[in-house]
């Protein structure tokens, strides 16, 4: 609410001053917009003038230290034609916050930054004072109405009837998390803003010497294990916070299939090594790895380099996730992840969407014989994903790859209007090899999807090669005649 003032009677002025006590003086907006002030002010008014009506801004269990610097440290008063306006001294609240909190500037931080901290400090913090530490708008504990974190996150809410929920959630999110903590990318402590990395974080509450905990782990040594490799730290559809996917012997509590009794505090396997143990059940994978026309060197080693022998959040039991499990070795592709635009399967769904992880018959371990056949499995007009309605999944590549049933719609997968090998990016434009009209057995101009597109990432939309923009200059790299027009 704003009232425009010109010359008013003293009585009217007093009424408006009283009304001003119920109106916020400072509008922290995302632009240079300035609120009309309900009473006239001198441009050089000091803090005491503001406090006369806005004393509540100085009270609270947590008061912003900037308040001691005075209101004009953040706000300025402007008077134009008898209209008083109050605005921030910067164009945005974020810019103002960074004048003091430069260490929170996301542009200068190497690591995972909490999204609101990238641009919107006042989404979580009151700029003046609050009843909660660090001037938070709400507490970091309690139910969905009370907990600030649950304004965006749904963690711990709507737990399935037969599922489980970590009791630590009731202690508050800051029991385990430090919202602004950042550091090396790839380290769980920093990627998830944890106080410590597991298991150190977990054993602060869970005593590894507890008899009940040891019994639950079949008296196997677990104190140095990564707890979140088997347990979800927030909630699960299964009891005991177990991860969604479990290795059958582990899930069925048949630990003796793989483990002998521990000796000298160390794990003892029932076979000489992990791979020898895995192939007792997964012999077909061992044969595939050994006989593949194109072999994957990473698959020839210890199976547990890539797979968890116990549990995972994803099918196939990757030790991390379907993307990072590959990028640990393929650092060249990991570097491409720094580019702004990603091919969804490469950096979200998982590398095995397009590649065979254990070995195959095609170059680069592709799931199709040619580049175009691979791309058109999703982007071609004849693409026909098969539905697995009971599992709420769809499959591609003859059932060898499973995807969520809403994968194509959620990711807005573009289906190209191709006909007779032409039609992209414009009508009649070829997408595959151009044959020599004089000799159809010969290729005049080699062409496939990679002629124009990068398969993993790009600095520009449309993933065009060499990070080029989608314009006529790009087209002229092949169509030289365009330059003369």
């Amino acid at each position: 609410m704003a009232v425009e003032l010109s010359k008013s009677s003293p009585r009217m002025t007093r009424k408006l001053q009283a009304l001003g006590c119920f109106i916020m003086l400072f509008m922290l907006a995302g632009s240079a917009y300035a609120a009309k002030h309900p009473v006239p002010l001198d441009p050089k008014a000091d803090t005491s003038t503001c406090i006369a009506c806005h004393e509540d801004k100085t009270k609270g269990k947590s008061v912003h230290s900037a308040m001691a610097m005075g209101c004009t440290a953040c706000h300025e008063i402007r008077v134009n034609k008898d209209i008083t306006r109050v605005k921030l001294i910067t164009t945005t609240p974020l810019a103002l916050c960074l004048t003091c909190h430069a260490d929170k500037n996301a542009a200068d931080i190497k690591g995972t930054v909490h999204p609101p901290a990238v641009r919107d400090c006042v989404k979580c913090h009151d700029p003046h004072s609050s009843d909660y530490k660090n001037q938070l708008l709400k507490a970091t504990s309690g139910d969905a109405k009370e907990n600030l974190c649950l304004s965006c996150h749904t963690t711990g809410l709507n737990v399935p009837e037969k599922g489980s929920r970590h009791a630590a959630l009731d202690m508050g999110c800051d029991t385990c998390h430090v919202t602004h903590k950042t550091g090396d990318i790839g380290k769980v402590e920093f990627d998830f803003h944890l106080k410590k990395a597991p298991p150190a974080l977990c054993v602060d509450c869970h005593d590894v010497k507890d008899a009940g905990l040891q019994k639950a782990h079949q008296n196997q040594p677990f104190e140095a294990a990564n707890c979140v490799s088997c347990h979800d730290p927030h909630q699960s559809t299964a009891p005991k916070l177990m991860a969604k996917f479990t290795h059958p012997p582990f899930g069925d509590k048949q630990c003796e299939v793989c483990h002998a009794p521990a000796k000298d505090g160390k794990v003892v396997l029932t076979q000489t090594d992990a791979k020898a143990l895995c192939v007792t059940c997964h012999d077909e994978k061992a044969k595939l790895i050994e006989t593949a026309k194109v072999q994957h060197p990473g698959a020839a080693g210890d199976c547990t380099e890539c797979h968890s022998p116990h549990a995972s959040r994803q099918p196939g039991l990757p030790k991390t996730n379907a993307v990072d499990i590959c990028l640990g070795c393929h650092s060249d592709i990991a570097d491409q992840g720094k580019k702004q635009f990603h091919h969804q399967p490469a950096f979200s769904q998982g590398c095995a969407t397009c590649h065979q992880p254990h070995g195959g018959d095609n170059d680069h371990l592709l799931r199709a014989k040619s580049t175009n056949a691979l791309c058109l499995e999703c982007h071609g007009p004849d693409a026909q994903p098969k539905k697995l309605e009971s599992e709420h999944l769809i499959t591609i590549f003859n059932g060898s790859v499973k995807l969520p049933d809403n994968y194509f719609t959620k990711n807005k997968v573009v289906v190209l209007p191709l006909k007779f090998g032409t039609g992209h990016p414009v009508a009649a434009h070829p997408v595959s090899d151009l044959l020599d009209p004089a000799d159809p057995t010969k290729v005049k101009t080699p062409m496939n999807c990679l002629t124009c597109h990068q398969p993993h990432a790009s600095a520009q939309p449309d993933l065009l090669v060499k990070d080029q923009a989608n314009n006529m200059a790009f087209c002229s790299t092949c169509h030289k005649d365009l330059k003369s027009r």
Side-chain angles (χ1 to χ4, degrees), residues 2 38 149 175-176 178 190 197 223 250 287 307 347 369 450 485:
C149 303
T175 303
C176 298
V178 182
F190 303 118
E223 58 272 11
F250 174 78
K287 290 179 179 178
H307 298 279
F347 288 99
K369 291 183 178 180
L450 298 187
R485 295 181 181 180

Side-chain angles (χ1 to χ4, degrees), residues 422-442:
T422 64
H424 177 69
V426 295
H429 192 284
V431 296
S432 57
D433 293 343
L434 287 177
L435 302 179
D436 189 339
D439 185 355
T441 63
K442 294 182 179 180

Side-chain angles (χ1 to χ4, degrees), residues 277-308:
L277 178 61
C278 295
V279 299
T280 57
C281 293
H282 302 285
D283 183 52
E284 80 288 352
K285 292 296 183 186
K287 290 179 179 178
L288 171 61
I289 293 168
E290 293 171 1
T291 61
K293 183 179 178 181
V294 178
Q295 296 186 329
H296 183 195
D302 187 336
C303 307
T304 56
E305 288 293 324
C306 296
H307 298 279
S308 169

Side-chain angles (χ1 to χ4, degrees), residues 34 71-72 98 128 155 168 201 207 217 310 383 399 406:
C71 302
T72 54
L98 293 181
H128 301 105
T155 304
L201 178 64
D207 184 3
H217 290 84
H310 300 117
N406 65 343

Side-chain angles (χ1 to χ4, degrees), residues 127-359:
H128 301 105
S129 64
S130 168
D131 288 335
Y132 309 101
K133 64 179 181 179
N134 300 319
Q135 297 137 241
L136 292 176
L137 299 177
K138 294 181 181 180
T140 55
S141 60
D143 60 22
K145 293 182 179 180
E146 300 169 339
N147 191 323
L148 176 65
C149 303
L150 297 182
S151 300
C152 296
H153 303 280
T154 59
T155 304
L157 304 178
N158 303 316
V159 178
E161 183 179 350
K162 295 183 179 181
S164 51
R165 179 179 180 275
H166 195 186
L169 296 179
D170 296 326
M171 299 165 61
C173 302
D174 55 356
T175 303
C176 298
H177 296 277
V178 182
T179 309
H180 288 282
K181 187 173 184 178
T182 53
D184 295 338
I185 294 176
K187 291 187 176 180
V188 66
E189 177 181 357
F190 303 118
D191 286 353
F192 297 97
H193 315 297
L194 299 176
K195 286 186 173 180
K196 301 177 185 177
L201 178 64
C202 306
V203 300
D204 279 348
C205 293
H206 300 280
D207 184 3
V208 295
K209 296 181 180 179
D210 178 76
L213 201 58
Q214 291 182 346
K215 182 179 179 181
H217 290 84
Q218 304 290 317
N219 295 314
Q220 291 288 339
F222 66 91
E223 58 272 11
N226 181 1
C227 307
V228 296
S229 66
C230 293
H231 300 279
D232 190 298
H234 299 111
Q235 67 178 54
S236 172
T237 57
K240 305 294 185 183
L241 295 173
M242 289 307 307
K244 183 175 182 179
F245 300 94
T246 57
H247 190 203
F250 174 78
D252 296 337
K253 299 182 180 180
Q254 296 177 337
C255 302
E256 68 280 359
V257 172
C258 301
H259 294 279
K263 185 177 181 179
D264 299 327
K266 295 181 179 180
V267 172
V268 178
L269 301 178
T270 56
Q271 299 292 329
T272 55
D273 56 63
K275 186 170 185 177
L277 178 61
C278 295
V279 299
T280 57
C281 293
H282 302 285
D283 183 52
E284 80 288 352
K285 292 296 183 186
K287 290 179 179 178
L288 171 61
I289 293 168
E290 293 171 1
T291 61
K293 183 179 178 181
V294 178
Q295 296 186 329
H296 183 195
D302 187 336
C303 307
T304 56
E305 288 293 324
C306 296
H307 298 279
S308 169
H310 300 117
S312 174
R313 291 180 179 82
Q314 300 189 43
L317 303 180
K319 292 185 75 171
T320 52
N321 60 59
V323 175
D324 292 342
I325 199 66
C326 300
L327 298 186
C329 291
H330 297 278
S331 57
D332 55 328
I333 305 300
D335 287 340
Q336 291 190 39
K338 299 174 183 177
K339 296 181 180 181
Q340 183 177 357
F341 298 95
H342 297 164
H343 189 201
Q344 200 277 346
F347 288 99
S348 296
Q349 188 62 32
C351 307
T353 307
C354 299
H355 300 276
Q356 294 179 302
H358 294 102

